[in-house]
Amino acid sequence: MHKKGKKLVFSNFSRVMDKASQSLVSIIILNYNADQLLLDCVESIMKTNYDNFEIIVVDNASADDSHKKCKEKFKKIRLIENEKNLGYCEGNNVGIKNAKGEFIVILNPDTTVNPDWLSELVSVYNKCGEALYQPKHLSLNDKSVFMSAGNMMNVFGFGYAREKGKKDINQHNTVEQIGYASGTCLFAPSSVFKKVGLLDPFIFLYHDDLDLGWRAAQLGIKSYYVPTSIIYHAESYMLGWNSEKFFWLERNRKYCLQTHYSKDTYSKISSTLALVDLLIWLFYFSKGFLGSKIRAELDIRRNKKKILERYEQLENRKKISDKDLVMNFPDKIYVPSNVSGKNINSIFNSLIERLSKRAKKAISE
C-alpha cells in the first residue's frame, strides 16, 4: 500500500510538472443553439492529454440554453454571453480578446476531438514555427470519411476542403503546407493574430478562415495541415446548403477578391473574372438561388466605401506579391456533389481550371 501510494503521489507530481512546463492554450468555442453538440464537444476536450488549457465558450445569444447547461456541467469553463448574435467572426473575436494563452484554438461546437489532437498541434508548431494550423477533419457520423485534409483557395476566391467525402486511406499522412487553415478547428500562436489581425467582422460568417489565411500569406505566414491531430466534425449544423449560405459564400468571395488583390492584379484578370461571374450566375440560377446572387451583388455595391478602406489597409501591409502567392493556388476546385451533381461539377471544374490558368498567366506578365 505504501509503495502504491508513493507511486500515485509521484504520478500526480509528474502531471503537475508537465502542466507547468506546457504553454497555456486558449480553446474558444463559439456557440449558437448547438444544443447537445456543445456538451459533447467540451466533454471530448476534457479527455485531452495536453494538460494546460482553458476553455472559453462564447455564446451568441442562444435560445436553447445550451451554454448554461454546459457551464452547469463543466464548472471550469469560462462563459461569455453576448447580448446579441455577433456572427461567427466577431463572436470568435470576443473570445480571442479574452484569451490568456500563448496559443489560440478556434473550435466549432459541432466537433469532438481525439485525445492527442492538441499535443500533436503543439508538437508540429515546435518544428514549423509561427503559422496557422488545422488538424485532419473526419466525419462525426462516419469516422473513416474525410471532412477536410486541409483547405485550399483558388485564384477566383473559391475555398474548398480537400478530400471532403472521400475515404481516409492515409492519402495525406504527412504535414503539408495548405492554402488556409479551416475555421472549424484553427490553431495558432497568439502572436499570429497580433500580426495578421482578428477575424474580419464584415464577413460575419463563411470564408472568414479563407480571408484570415490569405492575409497571413500576404505577410509570409504559412498554413499547415497536421494529419496526426484528429477531430470529428458534424458540419454546418445551422444553415446547411441553402440560399442564406450561398449568399454569404458569394458575397464574401467577391469581398476577398476586391480587398486582397492589388488594383493592377484585378485589372489584369478582370475579363477572366467576368467569365467566371457568368458561370456563377448560371450556376445559381440552376440551383434556384438567383436571389442569393443578386443580394450578394447589391451588398457588395452598397459597401464600396468600406471595401476600399479595407483594400487600402491590406495593400499597405502586404509583403508577398499577388504574383508570388497565386502561382501556388490550385486550378481545380471541389464542389460537393450534393450541391452541384457530378455532371455539372465536372463541366464547371473543367471551365474553372482553364480560366484559372489563363488568369495566372495574366498575373505573371
Side-chain angles (χ1 to χ4, degrees), residues 212-275:
L212 181 70
W214 202 337
R215 282 189 278 136
Q218 290 172 338
L219 299 179
I221 297 171
K222 298 176 180 178
S223 295
Y224 290 100
Y225 165 69
V226 183
T228 51
S229 173
I230 300 172
I231 70 159
Y232 307 98
H233 184 209
E235 187 190 24
S236 199
Y237 69 97
M238 288 192 300
L239 294 182
W241 289 101
N242 62 19
S243 60
E244 192 69 11
K245 183 169 183 175
F246 273 95
F247 160 73
W248 288 114
L249 287 172
E250 180 60 3
R251 180 254 211 185
N252 292 337
R253 181 187 73 87
K254 302 206 81 168
Y255 173 72
C256 286
L257 290 176
Q258 293 183 26
T259 54
H260 291 308
Y261 282 141
S262 70
K263 292 189 184 303
D264 180 56
T265 299
Y266 203 90
S267 176
K268 286 179 177 179
I269 63 173
S270 58
S271 60
T272 312
L273 284 173
L275 290 173

Coordinates of all heavy atoms in Angstrom, one line a residue, residues 212-275:
L212 N -8.6 35.1 -43.5 CA -7.5 35.1 -42.5 C -6.3 34.5 -43.0 O -5.2 35.0 -42.9 CB -7.9 34.4 -41.2 CG -6.9 34.4 -40.1 CD1 -6.8 35.8 -39.5 CD2 -7.3 33.4 -39.0
G213 N -6.4 33.3 -43.7 CA -5.3 32.6 -44.3 C -4.6 33.4 -45.4 O -3.4 33.4 -45.5
W214 N -5.4 34.1 -46.2 CA -4.9 34.9 -47.3 C -4.1 36.1 -46.7 O -3.1 36.4 -47.2 CB -6.1 35.4 -48.1 CG -5.7 35.8 -49.6 CD1 -4.5 36.2 -50.0 CD2 -6.6 35.8 -50.7 NE1 -4.5 36.5 -51.3 CE2 -5.8 36.3 -51.8 CE3 -7.9 35.5 -50.9 CZ2 -6.4 36.4 -53.1 CZ3 -8.5 35.7 -52.2 CH2 -7.7 36.1 -53.2
R215 N -4.7 36.8 -45.7 CA -4.0 37.9 -45.1 C -2.7 37.4 -44.5 O -1.7 38.2 -44.6 CB -4.9 38.5 -44.0 CG -6.0 39.4 -44.5 CD -6.6 40.2 -43.4 NE -7.7 39.4 -42.7 CZ -7.8 39.3 -41.4 NH1 -6.9 40.0 -40.6 NH2 -8.7 38.6 -40.8
A216 N -2.7 36.3 -43.9 CA -1.5 35.7 -43.3 C -0.4 35.5 -44.3 O 0.8 35.8 -44.2 CB -1.8 34.5 -42.5
A217 N -0.8 34.8 -45.4 CA 0.1 34.5 -46.5 C 0.7 35.8 -47.1 O 1.9 35.8 -47.5 CB -0.7 33.7 -47.6
Q218 N -0.1 36.9 -47.2 CA 0.5 38.1 -47.7 C 1.6 38.7 -46.8 O 2.4 39.5 -47.3 CB -0.7 39.2 -47.8 CG -1.7 38.8 -48.9 CD -2.9 39.8 -48.9 OE1 -3.2 40.4 -47.9 NE2 -3.5 39.9 -50.0
L219 N 1.6 38.2 -45.6 CA 2.7 38.7 -44.6 C 3.8 37.6 -44.5 O 4.7 37.7 -43.7 CB 2.1 38.9 -43.2 CG 1.0 40.0 -43.2 CD1 0.5 40.2 -41.8 CD2 1.5 41.4 -43.7
G220 N 3.7 36.5 -45.3 CA 4.7 35.5 -45.2 C 4.4 34.4 -44.2 O 5.3 33.6 -43.9
I221 N 3.2 34.4 -43.6 CA 2.9 33.4 -42.6 C 2.1 32.3 -43.2 O 1.0 32.5 -43.8 CB 2.0 34.1 -41.5 CG1 2.8 35.2 -40.8 CG2 1.5 33.0 -40.5 CD1 2.0 36.0 -39.8
K222 N 2.6 31.1 -43.1 CA 2.1 29.9 -43.9 C 0.9 29.2 -43.1 O 0.7 29.5 -41.9 CB 3.2 28.9 -44.1 CG 4.3 29.5 -45.0 CD 5.4 28.5 -45.2 CE 6.5 29.1 -46.1 NZ 7.7 28.1 -46.3
S223 N 0.2 28.3 -43.8 CA -0.8 27.5 -43.1 C -0.4 26.0 -43.4 O 0.1 25.7 -44.4 CB -2.2 27.7 -43.8 OG -2.6 29.1 -43.5
Y224 N -0.6 25.2 -42.3 CA -0.2 23.8 -42.4 C -1.4 22.8 -42.0 O -2.2 23.2 -41.2 CB 0.9 23.5 -41.5 CG 2.2 24.1 -41.9 CD1 2.7 25.3 -41.3 CD2 3.0 23.5 -42.9 CE1 3.9 25.9 -41.7 CE2 4.2 24.1 -43.3 CZ 4.7 25.3 -42.7 OH 5.9 25.8 -43.1
Y225 N -1.4 21.7 -42.6 CA -2.3 20.6 -42.3 C -1.5 19.6 -41.5 O -0.4 19.2 -41.8 CB -2.7 19.9 -43.6 CG -3.4 18.6 -43.5 CD1 -4.6 18.4 -42.8 CD2 -2.8 17.4 -44.0 CE1 -5.2 17.2 -42.7 CE2 -3.4 16.2 -43.9 CZ -4.6 16.1 -43.3 OH -5.2 14.8 -43.2
V226 N -2.1 19.2 -40.3 CA -1.4 18.3 -39.4 C -2.3 17.0 -39.2 O -3.2 16.9 -38.5 CB -1.3 18.9 -38.0 CG1 -0.5 18.0 -37.0 CG2 -0.6 20.3 -38.1
P227 N -1.9 15.9 -40.0 CA -2.8 14.7 -40.0 C -2.8 13.9 -38.7 O -3.7 13.1 -38.5 CB -2.1 13.9 -41.2 CG -0.7 14.4 -41.2 CD -0.7 15.8 -40.9
T228 N -1.7 14.1 -37.9 CA -1.7 13.3 -36.6 C -2.6 13.9 -35.6 O -2.8 13.3 -34.5 CB -0.2 13.3 -36.1 OG1 0.3 14.6 -36.1 CG2 0.6 12.4 -37.0
S229 N -3.1 15.1 -35.8 CA -4.1 15.7 -34.9 C -5.4 15.5 -35.6 O -5.6 15.9 -36.8 CB -3.8 17.3 -34.8 OG -4.9 17.9 -34.1
I230 N -6.4 14.9 -34.9 CA -7.6 14.5 -35.5 C -8.8 15.0 -34.7 O -8.9 14.9 -33.5 CB -7.7 12.9 -35.5 CG1 -6.5 12.4 -36.4 CG2 -9.0 12.5 -36.2 CD1 -6.4 10.8 -36.3
I231 N -9.8 15.6 -35.5 CA -11.0 16.0 -34.9 C -12.2 15.4 -35.7 O -11.9 15.0 -36.9 CB -11.2 17.5 -34.8 CG1 -11.4 18.1 -36.2 CG2 -10.1 18.1 -34.0 CD1 -12.0 19.5 -36.2
Y232 N -13.4 15.3 -35.2 CA -14.5 14.8 -35.9 C -15.6 15.9 -36.0 O -15.9 16.5 -35.0 CB -15.1 13.6 -35.2 CG -14.0 12.5 -34.9 CD1 -13.3 12.4 -33.7 CD2 -13.6 11.7 -35.9 CE1 -12.3 11.5 -33.4 CE2 -12.6 10.7 -35.7 CZ -12.0 10.7 -34.5 OH -11.0 9.8 -34.2
H233 N -16.1 16.1 -37.2 CA -16.9 17.3 -37.5 C -18.3 16.9 -38.0 O -18.4 16.1 -39.0 CB -16.2 18.2 -38.5 CG -16.9 19.4 -38.8 ND1 -16.8 20.1 -40.0 CD2 -17.8 20.2 -38.0 CE1 -17.5 21.2 -39.9 NE2 -18.2 21.3 -38.8
A234 N -19.4 17.4 -37.4 CA -20.7 17.1 -37.9 C -21.1 17.9 -39.1 O -22.0 17.6 -39.9 CB -21.7 17.4 -36.8
E235 N -20.5 19.1 -39.3 CA -20.7 20.0 -40.4 C -22.0 20.8 -40.4 O -23.1 20.3 -40.4 CB -20.6 19.3 -41.8 CG -20.6 20.3 -42.9 CD -20.8 19.7 -44.3 OE1 -21.3 18.6 -44.4 OE2 -20.4 20.3 -45.3
S236 N -21.8 22.1 -40.4 CA -22.9 23.1 -40.7 C -24.2 22.7 -40.0 O -25.2 22.5 -40.7 CB -23.0 23.3 -42.2 OG -23.7 24.5 -42.4
Y237 N -24.2 22.7 -38.7 CA -25.5 22.3 -38.0 C -26.5 23.4 -38.1 O -27.7 23.2 -37.8 CB -25.2 22.0 -36.6 CG -24.8 23.2 -35.7 CD1 -25.7 23.9 -34.9 CD2 -23.4 23.6 -35.7 CE1 -25.3 25.0 -34.2 CE2 -23.1 24.7 -34.9 CZ -24.0 25.4 -34.1 OH -23.6 26.5 -33.4
M238 N -26.1 24.6 -38.6 CA -27.0 25.8 -38.6 C -27.7 25.9 -40.0 O -28.9 25.8 -40.1 CB -26.3 27.1 -38.3 CG -26.0 27.2 -36.8 SD -25.5 28.9 -36.5 CE -24.0 29.1 -37.5
L239 N -27.0 26.1 -41.1 CA -27.6 26.5 -42.3 C -27.6 25.4 -43.4 O -28.6 25.3 -44.1 CB -26.8 27.7 -42.9 CG -26.8 29.0 -42.2 CD1 -26.1 30.1 -42.9 CD2 -28.3 29.5 -42.0
G240 N -26.6 24.5 -43.4 CA -26.6 23.5 -44.5 C -26.4 24.2 -45.8 O -26.0 25.4 -45.9
W241 N -26.8 23.6 -46.9 CA -26.6 24.2 -48.2 C -28.0 24.8 -48.6 O -28.8 24.2 -49.2 CB -26.2 23.2 -49.3 CG -24.8 22.8 -49.1 CD1 -24.3 21.6 -48.5 CD2 -23.6 23.5 -49.5 NE1 -23.0 21.6 -48.5 CE2 -22.5 22.7 -49.1 CE3 -23.4 24.7 -50.1 CZ2 -21.2 23.1 -49.3 CZ3 -22.1 25.1 -50.3 CH2 -21.0 24.4 -50.0
N242 N -28.2 26.1 -48.2 CA -29.4 26.8 -48.5 C -29.1 28.2 -49.1 O -28.0 28.5 -49.3 CB -30.4 26.8 -47.3 CG -29.7 27.6 -46.2 OD1 -28.8 28.4 -46.4 ND2 -30.3 27.4 -45.0
S243 N -30.2 28.9 -49.4 CA -30.0 30.2 -50.0 C -29.2 31.2 -49.2 O -28.4 32.0 -49.7 CB -31.3 30.8 -50.4 OG -32.1 31.0 -49.2
E244 N -29.3 31.1 -47.9 CA -28.6 32.0 -47.0 C -27.1 31.7 -47.0 O -26.3 32.6 -47.1 CB -29.1 31.9 -45.5 CG -28.6 32.9 -44.6 CD -29.2 34.3 -44.9 OE1 -30.1 34.4 -45.7 OE2 -28.7 35.3 -44.3
K245 N -26.7 30.4 -47.0 CA -25.3 30.1 -47.1 C -24.7 30.5 -48.5 O -23.6 31.0 -48.5 CB -25.1 28.6 -46.9 CG -23.7 28.1 -46.9 CD -23.5 26.7 -46.4 CE -22.1 26.3 -46.4 NZ -21.9 24.9 -45.8
F246 N -25.5 30.3 -49.5 CA -25.0 30.7 -50.9 C -24.8 32.2 -50.9 O -23.8 32.7 -51.6 CB -26.0 30.2 -51.9 CG -25.7 28.8 -52.4 CD1 -26.4 27.8 -51.9 CD2 -24.8 28.6 -53.4 CE1 -26.2 26.5 -52.4 CE2 -24.5 27.3 -53.9 CZ -25.2 26.3 -53.4
F247 N -25.6 33.0 -50.3 CA -25.4 34.4 -50.2 C -24.1 34.8 -49.6 O -23.3 35.6 -50.1 CB -26.6 35.1 -49.5 CG -26.3 36.5 -49.0 CD1 -26.2 37.5 -49.9 CD2 -26.0 36.7 -47.6 CE1 -25.9 38.8 -49.4 CE2 -25.7 38.0 -47.2 CZ -25.7 39.1 -48.1
W248 N -23.9 34.3 -48.4 CA -22.7 34.6 -47.7 C -21.4 34.2 -48.4 O -20.4 34.9 -48.4 CB -22.7 34.0 -46.3 CG -23.7 34.6 -45.3 CD1 -24.8 34.1 -44.8 CD2 -23.6 36.0 -44.8 NE1 -25.4 35.0 -44.0 CE2 -24.7 36.1 -44.0 CE3 -22.7 37.0 -45.0 CZ2 -25.0 37.3 -43.3 CZ3 -23.0 38.2 -44.3 CH2 -24.1 38.4 -43.5
L249 N -21.4 33.0 -49.0 CA -20.3 32.5 -49.7 C -19.9 33.4 -50.9 O -18.8 33.7 -51.1 CB -20.5 31.0 -50.2 CG -20.5 29.9 -49.1 CD1 -21.0 28.6 -49.7 CD2 -19.1 29.8 -48.5
E250 N -20.9 33.8 -51.7 CA -20.7 34.6 -52.9 C -20.3 36.0 -52.5 O -19.4 36.6 -53.0 CB -21.9 34.5 -53.8 CG -21.7 35.4 -55.0 CD -20.6 34.9 -55.9 OE1 -19.9 33.9 -55.6 OE2 -20.3 35.6 -57.0
R251 N -21.0 36.6 -51.5 CA -20.8 38.0 -51.1 C -19.3 38.1 -50.6 O -18.6 39.0 -50.9 CB -21.8 38.4 -50.1 CG -21.6 39.8 -49.5 CD -21.1 39.7 -48.1 NE -21.6 40.8 -47.3 CZ -21.2 41.0 -46.0 NH1 -20.3 40.1 -45.5 NH2 -21.6 42.0 -45.3
N252 N -18.9 37.1 -49.7 CA -17.6 37.2 -49.1 C -16.5 36.8 -50.1 O -15.4 37.2 -49.9 CB -17.6 36.3 -47.9 CG -18.5 36.9 -46.8 OD1 -18.8 38.0 -46.8 ND2 -18.9 36.0 -45.9
R253 N -16.8 35.9 -51.1 CA -15.8 35.6 -52.1 C -15.4 36.9 -52.9 O -14.3 37.2 -53.1 CB -16.4 34.6 -53.1 CG -15.4 34.2 -54.2 CD -16.0 33.3 -55.2 NE -17.0 34.0 -56.0 CZ -16.6 34.6 -57.2 NH1 -15.4 34.7 -57.6 NH2 -17.5 35.3 -57.9
K254 N -16.4 37.7 -53.3 CA -16.2 38.9 -54.0 C -15.5 39.9 -53.1 O -14.7 40.7 -53.6 CB -17.5 39.4 -54.6 CG -18.2 38.5 -55.5 CD -19.1 39.1 -56.5 CE -18.3 39.6 -57.7 NZ -19.1 40.0 -58.8
Y255 N -15.9 40.0 -51.9 CA -15.2 40.9 -50.9 C -13.7 40.6 -50.8 O -12.9 41.5 -50.8 CB -15.9 40.7 -49.6 CG -15.3 41.5 -48.4 CD1 -15.3 42.9 -48.4 CD2 -14.5 40.9 -47.4 CE1 -14.8 43.6 -47.3 CE2 -14.0 41.6 -46.4 CZ -14.1 42.9 -46.3 OH -13.5 43.6 -45.3
C256 N -13.4 39.3 -50.7 CA -12.0 38.9 -50.6 C -11.2 39.3 -51.9 O -10.1 39.8 -51.8 CB -11.9 37.4 -50.3 SG -12.3 36.9 -48.7
L257 N -11.8 39.1 -53.0 CA -11.1 39.4 -54.3 C -10.8 40.9 -54.3 O -9.8 41.4 -54.8 CB -12.0 39.0 -55.5 CG -12.2 37.5 -55.8 CD1 -13.1 37.3 -56.9 CD2 -10.8 36.9 -56.1
Q258 N -11.8 41.7 -53.9 CA -11.7 43.2 -54.0 C -10.8 43.8 -53.0 O -10.4 44.9 -53.1 CB -13.1 43.8 -54.0 CG -13.9 43.5 -55.3 CD -15.2 44.2 -55.4 OE1 -15.4 45.3 -54.8 NE2 -16.2 43.6 -56.0
T259 N -10.6 43.1 -51.9 CA -9.7 43.6 -50.8 C -8.3 43.0 -50.8 O -7.4 43.7 -50.3 CB -10.4 43.3 -49.4 OG1 -10.6 42.0 -49.3 CG2 -11.6 44.1 -49.2
H260 N -8.1 41.8 -51.4 CA -6.8 41.2 -51.4 C -6.0 41.4 -52.6 O -4.7 41.4 -52.5 CB -7.0 39.7 -51.1 CG -7.4 39.4 -49.7 ND1 -6.8 39.9 -48.6 CD2 -8.5 38.6 -49.3 CE1 -7.5 39.4 -47.5 NE2 -8.5 38.7 -47.9
Y261 N -6.6 41.5 -53.7 CA -5.8 41.8 -55.0 C -5.5 43.3 -55.1 O -6.4 44.1 -54.9 CB -6.5 41.3 -56.2 CG -6.5 39.8 -56.4 CD1 -7.6 39.1 -56.8 CD2 -5.3 39.0 -56.1 CE1 -7.6 37.7 -57.0 CE2 -5.3 37.7 -56.3 CZ -6.4 37.0 -56.8 OH -6.3 35.6 -56.9
S262 N -4.3 43.6 -55.6 CA -4.0 44.9 -56.0 C -4.8 45.4 -57.1 O -5.4 44.5 -57.9 CB -2.5 45.1 -56.3 OG -2.2 44.4 -57.6
K263 N -4.9 46.6 -57.3 CA -5.7 47.2 -58.5 C -5.1 46.7 -59.8 O -5.8 46.4 -60.8 CB -5.8 48.7 -58.4 CG -6.6 49.2 -57.3 CD -6.8 50.7 -57.4 CE -7.6 51.2 -56.2 NZ -8.9 50.6 -55.9
D264 N -3.8 46.6 -59.8 CA -3.1 46.1 -61.0 C -3.5 44.6 -61.3 O -3.8 44.3 -62.5 CB -1.6 46.3 -60.9 CG -0.8 45.8 -62.1 OD1 -1.1 46.3 -63.2 OD2 0.0 44.9 -62.0
T265 N -3.4 43.8 -60.3 CA -3.8 42.4 -60.5 C -5.2 42.3 -60.9 O -5.6 41.5 -61.8 CB -3.6 41.6 -59.1 OG1 -2.2 41.7 -58.8 CG2 -4.0 40.2 -59.3
Y266 N -6.1 43.0 -60.2 CA -7.5 42.9 -60.5 C -7.8 43.3 -62.0 O -8.6 42.7 -62.7 CB -8.3 43.8 -59.6 CG -9.8 43.4 -59.4 CD1 -10.2 42.5 -58.5 CD2 -10.8 43.9 -60.3 CE1 -11.5 42.1 -58.3 CE2 -12.1 43.5 -60.2 CZ -12.4 42.6 -59.2 OH -13.8 42.2 -59.0
S267 N -7.1 44.3 -62.4 CA -7.3 44.8 -63.8 C -6.8 43.7 -64.8 O -7.4 43.5 -65.9 CB -6.4 46.1 -64.0 OG -6.5 46.5 -65.4
K268 N -5.7 43.0 -64.5 CA -5.2 42.0 -65.4 C -6.1 40.8 -65.6 O -6.1 40.2 -66.6 CB -3.8 41.5 -64.9 CG -2.7 42.5 -65.0 CD -1.4 41.9 -64.5 CE -0.2 42.8 -64.7 NZ 1.0 42.3 -64.1
I269 N -6.9 40.5 -64.6 CA -7.8 39.3 -64.6 C -9.3 39.7 -64.7 O -10.1 38.9 -64.6 CB -7.6 38.4 -63.4 CG1 -7.9 39.1 -62.1 CG2 -6.1 37.9 -63.4 CD1 -7.9 38.1 -60.9
S270 N -9.5 41.0 -65.0 CA -10.9 41.4 -65.0 C -11.8 40.7 -66.0 O -13.0 40.4 -65.7 CB -11.0 43.0 -65.2 OG -10.4 43.3 -66.4
S271 N -11.3 40.5 -67.2 CA -12.0 39.8 -68.2 C -12.3 38.4 -67.9 O -13.4 37.8 -68.1 CB -11.3 39.9 -69.6 OG -10.1 39.3 -69.5
T272 N -11.3 37.7 -67.2 CA -11.5 36.4 -66.8 C -12.5 36.3 -65.7 O -13.3 35.4 -65.6 CB -10.1 35.7 -66.4 OG1 -9.2 36.0 -67.4 CG2 -10.3 34.2 -66.2
L273 N -12.4 37.2 -64.8 CA -13.4 37.3 -63.6 C -14.8 37.5 -64.1 O -15.7 36.9 -63.6 CB -13.0 38.4 -62.7 CG -11.8 38.2 -61.7 CD1 -11.5 39.5 -61.0 CD2 -12.1 37.1 -60.8
A274 N -14.9 38.2 -65.2 CA -16.3 38.4 -65.8 C -16.8 37.1 -66.3 O -18.0 36.8 -66.2 CB -16.2 39.4 -66.9
L275 N -16.0 36.3 -66.9 CA -16.4 35.0 -67.4 C -16.8 34.0 -66.3 O -17.8 33.3 -66.3 CB -15.3 34.3 -68.3 CG -15.1 35.0 -69.6 CD1 -13.8 34.4 -70.3 CD2 -16.3 34.9 -70.6

